[in-house]
Amino acid sequence: MNALSLRKHKELIGIALLAVLIFVVLPVSLDIFRLNLFGKYLTYAFVALGLVLCWGDAGILSLGQGVFFGLGGYCMAMFLKLEASSVANTKIQSTPGIPDFMDWNQLTALPYFWQPFHSLTFSLIAVVVAPTAFAFVIGVAMFKRRVGGVYFAIITQALAAILTILIVGRQGYTGGINGITDLRTLKGWDIRTDHAKYVLYFVNGGLLIGAIMVARYVRGSKLGRILVAMRDKEDRVRFSGYDVANFKTFVFCLAAAFAALGGAMFTLQVGFMSPSFVGIVPSIELVICCAVGGRNSLLGAVYGTVLVNWAKTTFSEDFPNLWLFAMAALFIGVVLAFPDGLAGLYRSYVQPYANRLLGSMQDSIRGRRVAPASAVSSRVE
Amino acid sequence: MFGYSFGDLSAIFAMQAFDGLILFSVFILMSLGLAIIFGQMGVINMAHGEFMIMGAYVTYLCSNVFHHYLLGLYPIYFFVAMLLAFFAAGTAGMLAEWALIRHLYRRPLDTLLATWGLSLFLQQCYRSIFGAREVGVDLPNWMMGAVHAGDTIEIPINGLFVMGLTVVITIAVFVLLYRSSWGKKVRAVMQNRVMAGAIGINTEKVDRLTFGIGCGIAGIAGSAFTMIGSTNPSAGQLYIVNTFLIVVFGGAQSLIGTIASAFVISQAQSTAEFFLTGSMATVLVLLSVVGILMLRPQGLFVLKIRR
Amino acid sequence: MSANNGRSHLPSALRRRLLLGMAALPAAALLPRPVFADIPPTSAVNTTGLAVTDDSVTIGILHSITGTMAISETGSVEAEKLAISQINAKGGVLGRQIKFIQEDGASDWPTFAEKARKLLVSDKVAAVMGCWTSASRKAVLPVFEQYKGILYYPTFYEGLEESHDVFYEGQEATQQIIAGLNWIADTKKAKTFYLLGSDYIWPRTSNKIARKHIEDHLHLEVVGEDYFPLGNTEFNSVINKIKLKKPDVIYAIIVGGSNVAFYKQLKAAGVDMVNKQTLLTISVTEDEIRGIGGENIVGAYAAMKYFQSIDTPTNRAFVDAFKKMWGPQSVIGDVTQAAYEGPWLWSLECEKAGSFDTEKVIAAAPGTVFNAPEGPVKVHENHHLWSKLRIGRARADGQYDIVYVTPEDIEPNPFPKGYQ
């Protein structure tokens, strides 16, 4: 269809623009400190992408994405920490060769579940597989029983709280509330140098574009259509013969995988991981980043995340008290005033001008396509 | 067993039982307001903790005012404070409902986000008005100390007070819901909003009042908690997860369910804490609740409604 | 400082006359040394590109102004600002006024790391007064080590650290714990201890040291040990356990908001700390008592290096100056006073080194002595401070009566052998 290919075109152009922004504009115009900050924002964008799929498209609100972000991040951190805790580096400890926090907690040997993280391959696999497996278990347990909507959200929230308490309490094994800090090298390559930060930034950007393409593919496929149908009228999809639970579990696992990837890239770029990314507050902030950008738009989610985090850094420097009010306004505004986020605003105000540039024929087609999409953008119970 | 004598053990059990009851009362107070709002209206109020803290701050202000101007009446200030807390939180709740919630009734996930925004707003207000530090709320003397029942058994007075308060409020809520005309309207709206509107009930007013009463109860709970917890802008966050789990575990639309669930969870927590460390006890109880919810998502008690 | 402005332009004869005239003023007698002619040029004191000009030097303040830790860190910020204003009033450091850039860590460790990087890399501050929790310090440590900054860290903590780039103004665990346990075992003839704490590294590590000391060195008994998640508000179960075990001493390291719940419930359960039950804590300062309420904790003992009620002229002057700047209702806890020491120690170290370059300052630091409100403190080679330990007993008005002071300064020992 003419309009569909135009729409795909538009999105590809958008992705290309994003790529230019990430790979060309930002590195040229920012110093390494600010660029590293943007790299950090882009790792949050992974989570937002996952949320677009599972919340915007499938209607599953997860308030515990921090769990998967954290699990991915911790897997990467465990590998890096073991490498940084070689016998040579830790000779002043009572037990050389184990991470410093284990030494303070009077552990004398590496716990068994840390052992496999000596291997980079295992760690990389674990980064993706462990959170996805966890998401699978939760998904199967809940979706098969038709737990959805609000209940699911609250349970994910409880899980985030539980994991935080566990990590903080078992400090001998996890580094506790300090997290796992002082990460130095990846297979001998120092990740703290400026050069390394540049490389990691570009790798991160590349992975992000890759994730967007994967997400696009999922959305454009038949699976994507079923997800949208499930969000709007779940029973009808079920009566049509589809196993709704399987689809929900799949998209939830995909979102978890994205979040985990983001977590691992975060650990690499920032140099540590702590339970303060796992809990309730960071999880819900990730949701709001996605919402601000537009929960139905992949590009919107990325821009929204970057914008919210950039605003947070800037405002909290100058107006720390005002920042919380601004956040509150964001939450309320995004729900009441502009539920489609920036993407919706773009679609309503900017796109007509853009289209006028491309001719009136395309404009009329687009008019017919946009209206149904925005009508179903708010979740109906 | 465990190195205690029989006399000791019976004393342990007696005191643990009382502490379990106190925890039970605390949980009921926390969740009753939320149960009404969630159960009857399907609205998730993430700002519930902040309404509780509002009650706590009102109590703090009352305490200061009485201390400076009405010293003679100081012993009864707490009752005045609770009443004021109820009205303050209730009015704030009605205002929030009018400004925010009523636009979002069909969209529960969005109310989640919007009320989270409300909670951030309230937290920052408290921080700006009262400062980021904790404020100390003084208790009148008769409320401090313990009642001695036997040699080793001591029951804290404020615990008894909280228990008594819970009984009073629970009875009040039941009377309101099942014996008053307002209660009838609320139940009608809950069961079938469209028909209730069709027979002439002003659903908007009912919703507003219900939300206000739910928040008012939260305010009273917060006022009572000044006796056992700290009052600072971010204290509300500590209560959210527990409160939601209790309400959801009990079956969202059943108040009896909430009470039963509060009982089960409080006893489990209290017992687990005695034998394990605090953290592991919390983790264990929360995991069990989540696990049971996964097996039986509708909670303990289910109201059968034809939609 | 008119002489300052005219320094490079006045002919030398006029300059000498001005100097002589100024020297006649009584005020000049109060100045530690003639400031005007002695200001070293910027190129001599700053060879590493720090934010130093001819009349100013910039340092950073990095604490949480928002979030859960804001409750505790506000005092540190106030103390540091007081110290800076006092140093400036005395003529500044190496003739330069101290300017500061304040950043908010927002109780979020990654934000601390990010702001630390900003202060060191973008703002090029000469030193940073900052952090409070061990987690925030651990998060910023790699940043300071990578960019060769100096951090002045005020909180008493668990030790087990000795960074080249950090100065620890607070006591580490052995300084706080061992002398306190010795005193209480001696004076109260204590035989049994019950250890309590919040569940994270500082209380756990401290209790490990405490247990080792109680069991191996004092040959006494630990009858119970319990930990609670941060933010926990239910202590009735453990209070019951305590009542049944009847320990001679409750050794409590409960942190933050949980303190309020714990002491209120303790009192409500009828535990009488004034007459019957001894309780020793290392985590409750005058700041925390404001939230707990003095009448709930009256009778408890605390082991700190500083109490607001220390009765020396230096401390009284400090308390007065603090209240004048921040309000008559202010209270000053141990960490607040330690934070006050930060800018002073840094300025003394810079004067000693004759430079702001961090490596030179760090090299000059050991041996520096400062007349702090707690008494004179000296910087050790391991970057901690020699200081005394005091035991105070909480009063109903929120202050402490000091019942014991160690006769000698205690040497800091962040990696104690035999306690690990």
Side-chain angles (χ1 to χ4, degrees):
Chain A
M1 263 176 56
N2 203 6
L4 190 53
S5 63
L6 264 171
R7 188 165 167 220
K8 278 191 184 162
H9 240 295
K10 280 257 179 282
E11 215 175 359
L12 277 172
I13 296 179
I15 296 179
L17 276 175
L18 180 67
V20 165
L21 192 66
I22 292 179
F23 292 116
V24 179
V25 175
L26 286 179
V28 161
S29 50
L30 295 176
D31 61 85
I32 184 62
F33 172 65
R34 299 259 162 214
L35 193 67
N36 187 234
L37 279 183
F38 267 92
K40 194 173 77 167
Y41 306 155
L42 290 178
T43 63
Y44 294 138
F46 280 95
V47 185
L49 282 181
L51 278 169
V52 167
L53 285 178
C54 90
W55 180 35
D57 280 349
I60 305 166
L61 176 60
S62 160
L63 291 181
Q65 290 302 90
V67 166
F68 308 117
F69 186 83
L71 280 175
Y74 265 97
C75 286
M76 179 57 82
M78 281 160 82
F79 169 76
L80 292 171
K81 188 64 176 173
L82 281 178
E83 186 174 325
S85 310
S86 63
V87 179
N89 286 342
T90 55
K91 51 185 181 304
I92 61 167
Q93 290 177 187
S94 310
T95 317
I98 61 174
D100 46 11
F101 60 85
M102 292 192 188
D103 196 52
W104 308 323
N105 285 288
Q106 275 85 63
L107 262 63
T108 49
L110 203 61
Y112 67 90
F113 68 93
W114 273 74
Q115 297 284 4
F117 285 95
H118 274 114
S119 139
L120 180 61
T121 331
F122 176 84
S123 306
L124 286 177
I125 297 178
V127 160
V128 179
V129 167
T132 313
F134 191 45
F136 182 75
V137 168
I138 301 174
V140 162
M142 308 249 253
F143 297 133
K144 287 272 185 237
R145 307 216 156 253
R146 309 203 185 171
V147 176
V150 158
Y151 290 84
F152 183 78
I154 292 183
I155 290 184
T156 53
Q157 202 182 39
L159 287 170
I162 294 173
L163 191 63
T164 314
I165 299 180
L166 255 180
I167 292 181
V168 173
R170 302 278 105 204
Q171 58 184 29
Y173 302 121
T174 62
I177 196 170
N178 294 347
I180 301 184
T181 61
D182 204 15
L183 306 173
R184 298 181 201 165
T185 60
L186 176 67
K187 277 281 186 243
W189 177 58
D190 192 336
I191 57 173
R192 297 167 297 175
T193 62
D194 282 355
H195 168 74
K197 292 209 173 7
Y198 271 111
V199 171
L200 285 170
Y201 171 81
F202 281 108
V203 168
N204 189 22
L207 282 174
L208 187 67
I209 302 286
I212 296 181
M213 301 304 283
V214 169
R216 258 194 88 230
Y217 175 72
V218 166
R219 289 178 110 201
S221 69
K222 188 170 158 202
L223 174 71
R225 298 200 160 276
I226 296 179
L227 291 178
V228 175
M230 255 168 31
R231 180 191 71 197
D232 294 335
K233 277 279 180 282
E234 184 176 319
D235 289 331
R236 282 191 199 166
V237 174
R238 192 174 286 126
F239 299 152
S240 305
Y242 293 103
D243 191 342
V244 169
N246 287 342
F247 289 109
K248 283 189 175 179
T249 311
F250 172 76
V251 77
F252 187 54
C253 291
L254 192 60
F258 280 168
L261 206 54
M265 289 311 300
F266 180 91
T267 308
L268 279 170
Q269 292 189 78
V270 174
F272 71 94
M273 173 49 69
S274 91
S276 59
F277 302 107
V278 174
I280 303 179
V281 173
S283 300
I284 208 170
E285 279 186 12
L286 291 166
V287 168
I288 210 62
C289 291
C290 175
V292 162
R295 68 191 83 162
N296 281 311
S297 156
L298 293 171
L299 290 176
V302 175
Y303 284 118
T305 311
V306 170
L307 191 66
V308 170
N309 279 292
W310 173 81
K312 184 175 183 179
T313 311
T314 329
F315 274 103
S316 67
E317 273 175 38
D318 303 325
F319 311 107
N321 287 329
L322 235 47
W323 170 246
L324 265 180
F325 282 128
M327 276 277 272
L330 254 182
F331 271 92
I332 298 179
V334 125
V335 160
L336 280 184
F338 49 104
D340 284 328
L342 288 175
L345 288 177
Y346 171 79
R347 226 177 283 138
S348 317
Y349 297 111
V350 178
Q351 221 170 51
Y353 290 106
N355 291 337
R356 227 166 281 162
L357 291 174
L358 293 173
S360 53
M361 167 78 165
Q362 296 163 346
D363 199 7
S364 60
I365 299 178
R366 187 148 308 281
R368 279 207 295 272
R369 281 220 67 85
V370 168
S374 53
V376 300
S377 65
S378 55
R379 170 130 170 69
V380 174
E381 276 284 13
Chain B
M1 162 171 147
F2 292 89
Y4 300 116
S5 71
F6 180 72
D8 278 348
L9 266 182
S10 49
I12 295 180
F13 280 126
M15 286 203 288
Q16 279 297 103
F18 267 111
D19 288 331
L21 279 178
I22 295 175
L23 191 61
F24 173 40
S25 318
V26 166
F27 279 175
I28 290 187
L29 272 182
M30 276 173 15
S31 356
L32 210 56
L34 193 69
I36 293 177
I37 295 177
F38 183 35
Q40 316 296 348
M41 297 163 59
V43 170
I44 301 291
N45 182 14
M46 298 286 269
H48 185 73
E50 273 66 34
F51 281 106
M52 283 171 56
I53 298 299
M54 190 183 291
Y57 274 118
V58 165
T59 312
Y60 164 71
L61 286 174
C62 250
S63 156
N64 278 357
V65 163
F66 271 74
H67 202 66
H68 285 125
Y69 302 115
L70 295 161
L71 203 48
L73 291 171
Y74 199 69
I76 62 154
Y77 97 86
F78 211 78
F79 297 104
V80 175
M82 283 203 299
L83 214 56
L84 284 178
F86 177 77
F87 283 115
T91 321
M94 289 206 273
L95 195 61
E97 200 277 345
W98 173 81
L100 190 61
I101 316 279
R102 69 186 165 122
H103 304 286
L104 300 169
Y105 275 123
R106 296 271 159 63
R107 301 146 59 184
L109 293 182
D110 288 344
T111 48
L112 226 156
L113 292 179
T115 49
W116 181 269
L118 181 64
S119 88
L120 289 181
F121 175 74
L122 287 174
Q123 275 184 48
Q124 187 53 41
C125 283
Y126 301 148
R127 200 167 286 130
S128 307
I129 301 177
F130 296 102
R133 290 191 147 137
E134 279 151 357
V135 293
V137 180
D138 296 327
L139 290 177
N141 278 325
W142 61 268
M143 292 181 83
M144 303 205 263
V147 164
H148 295 260
D151 207 22
T152 40
I153 305 180
E154 274 165 8
I155 306 164
I157 293 185
N158 60 18
L160 285 174
F161 183 76
V162 168
M163 284 201 287
L165 183 69
T166 309
V167 169
V168 165
I169 292 197
T170 314
I171 295 181
V173 167
F174 268 98
V175 161
L176 260 180
L177 265 183
Y178 290 100
R179 291 269 181 273
S180 74
S181 66
W182 166 75
K184 218 180 288 182
K185 288 185 197 165
V186 170
R187 281 181 287 140
V189 169
M190 177 199 88
Q191 290 180 12
N192 195 331
R193 182 176 287 262
V194 178
M195 272 316 289
I199 62 170
I201 297 179
N202 187 342
T203 56
E204 280 187 10
K205 267 220 182 100
V206 169
D207 286 337
R208 193 158 306 147
L209 206 54
T210 313
F211 196 84
I213 291 186
C215 290
I217 297 179
I220 296 188
S223 177
F225 290 167
T226 56
M227 294 191 282
I228 54 180
S230 80
T231 306
N232 65 66
S234 32
Q237 306 265 305
L238 302 171
Y239 299 113
I240 296 185
V241 175
N242 267 335
T243 319
F244 276 119
L245 281 184
I246 294 173
V247 171
V248 168
F249 189 59
Q253 277 151 358
S254 161
L255 284 183
I256 305 244
T258 309
I259 295 179
S261 142
F263 182 73
V264 167
I265 297 182
S266 65
Q267 292 308 321
Q269 178 99 15
S270 191
T271 322
E273 255 179 25
F274 194 80
F275 296 108
L276 304 167
T277 68
S279 309
M280 285 319 283
T282 315
V283 167
L284 202 64
V285 169
L286 283 180
L287 269 178
S288 313
V289 171
V290 168
I292 296 180
L293 269 177
M294 287 198 199
L295 293 175
R296 191 186 155 81
Q298 60 269 49
L300 293 178
F301 288 81
V302 181
L303 205 58
K304 297 198 184 350
I305 301 176
R306 202 179 331 134
R307 289 207 175 274
Chain C
M1 289 281 183
S2 53
N4 212 354
N5 287 335
R7 183 168 54 89
S8 45
H9 302 295
L10 285 178
S12 43
L14 186 51
R15 204 153 142 238
R16 266 199 296 274
R17 244 188 288 152
L18 263 170
L19 280 177
L20 285 171
M22 292 283 204
L25 288 172
L30 294 174
L31 288 167
R33 52 190 178 84
V35 191
F36 330 95
D38 255 325
I39 303 167
T42 309
S43 53
V45 301
N46 179 17
T47 62
T48 52
L50 297 170
V52 179
T53 67
D54 284 341
D55 47 21
S56 78
V57 59
T58 311
I59 64 174
I61 294 184
L62 180 59
H63 285 290
S64 300
I65 316 174
T66 58
T68 54
M69 292 316 298
I71 301 170
S72 308
E73 302 200 40
T74 314
S76 301
V77 176
E78 291 172 351
E80 286 155 7
K81 288 183 178 172
L82 174 66
I84 292 173
S85 71
Q86 287 183 339
I87 299 172
N88 281 343
K90 284 183 80 170
V93 188
L94 291 173
R96 290 156 173 82
Q97 296 285 294
I98 304 178
K99 297 219 275 244
F100 63 85
I101 299 180
Q102 184 179 0
E103 291 293 348
D104 178 17
S107 309
D108 182 48
W109 326 136
T111 309
F112 268 96
E114 179 188 310
K115 299 293 182 188
R117 201 173 280 129
K118 171 191 178 280
L119 285 170
L120 291 177
V121 173
S122 294
D123 301 321
K124 301 207 184 330
V125 297
V128 176
M129 312 287 145
C131 296
W132 206 92
T133 62
S134 281
S136 59
R137 192 190 72 251
K138 290 271 176 224
V140 304
L141 205 53
V143 177
F144 278 90
E145 288 176 351
Q146 184 181 5
Y147 295 108
K148 309 268 183 295
I150 320 182
L151 174 68
Y152 286 84
Y153 175 71
T155 326
F156 43 81
Y157 78 121
E158 66 276 2
L160 303 173
E161 190 180 295
E162 190 184 316
S163 169
H164 175 69
D165 300 283
V166 181
F167 286 96
Y168 307 84
E169 297 136 33
Q171 291 188 312
E172 45 82 22
T174 60
Q175 288 174 304
Q176 241 191 333
I177 295 172
I178 295 177
L181 284 173
N182 285 341
W183 179 82
I184 211 149
D186 242 0
T187 10
K188 299 288 173 182
K189 305 283 179 281
K191 299 275 183 301
T192 54
F193 292 79
Y194 201 108
L195 307 179
L196 285 180
S198 290
D199 200 352
Y200 73 106
I201 185 171
W202 175 55
R204 280 202 183 254
T205 316
S206 304
N207 273 340
K208 273 210 171 78
I209 296 178
R211 189 183 262 265
K212 276 262 165 55
H213 190 70
I214 293 170
E215 290 176 342
D216 299 344
H217 292 85
L218 295 176
H219 305 295
L220 300 171
E221 197 192 342
V222 171
V223 295
E225 192 171 349
D226 272 316
Y227 295 94
F228 302 93
L230 289 166
N232 183 55
T233 51
E234 289 305 315
F235 291 96
N236 282 314
S237 299
V238 76
I239 295 178
N240 283 341
K241 279 199 252 188
I242 289 174
K243 281 161 108 173
L244 282 160
K245 298 275 188 164
K246 296 194 184 24
D248 293 327
V249 176
I250 304 175
Y251 196 68
I253 315 183
I254 310 270
V255 169
S258 295
N259 270 315
V260 180
F262 176 65
Y263 289 103
K264 281 189 176 170
Q265 287 167 29
L266 202 61
K267 171 137 192 195
V271 175
D272 181 3
M273 292 191 286
V274 178
N275 298 314
K276 293 204 205 121
Q277 175 70 58
T278 309
L279 181 143
L280 177 62
T281 174
I282 60 172
S283 60
V284 178
T285 69
E286 289 85 338
D287 293 295
E288 279 80 24
I289 297 189
R290 274 227 296 222
I292 298 173
E295 69 282 352
N296 289 318
I297 195 175
V298 60
Y301 293 93
M304 299 281 167
K305 66 173 184 163
Y306 172 84
F307 292 108
Q308 184 176 339
S309 51
I310 293 178
D311 197 11
T312 60
T314 326
N315 188 39
R316 281 200 297 269
F318 166 62
V319 173
D320 287 340
F322 195 94
K323 287 190 174 178
K324 196 154 152 226
M325 191 169 181
W326 298 110
Q329 301 297 329
S330 308
V331 295
I332 305 170
D334 182 295
V335 181
T336 308
Q337 194 263 164
Y340 175 76
E341 291 171 347
W344 278 104
L345 284 169
W346 174 73
S347 71
L348 287 169
E349 289 161 8
C350 287
E351 299 277 357
K352 198 168 160 198
S355 165
F356 293 111
D357 292 332
T358 50
E359 287 306 316
K360 296 195 182 130
V361 173
I362 294 174
T368 312
V369 176
F370 169 54
N371 271 326
E374 58 168 294
V377 290
K378 187 166 76 170
V379 180
H380 193 283
E381 279 89 46
N382 58 27
H383 289 192
H384 293 68
L385 297 178
W386 290 80
S387 63
K388 297 189 160 62
L389 180 73
R390 292 174 168 84
I391 309 278
R393 193 153 202 212
R395 293 202 302 247
D397 67 354
Q399 291 292 309
Y400 282 95
D401 282 324
I402 301 175
V403 295
Y404 172 70
V405 182
T406 54
E408 301 289 322
D409 283 348
I410 306 176
E411 182 176 5
N413 184 7
F415 293 98
K417 294 276 172 293
Y419 286 95
Q420 289 184 260

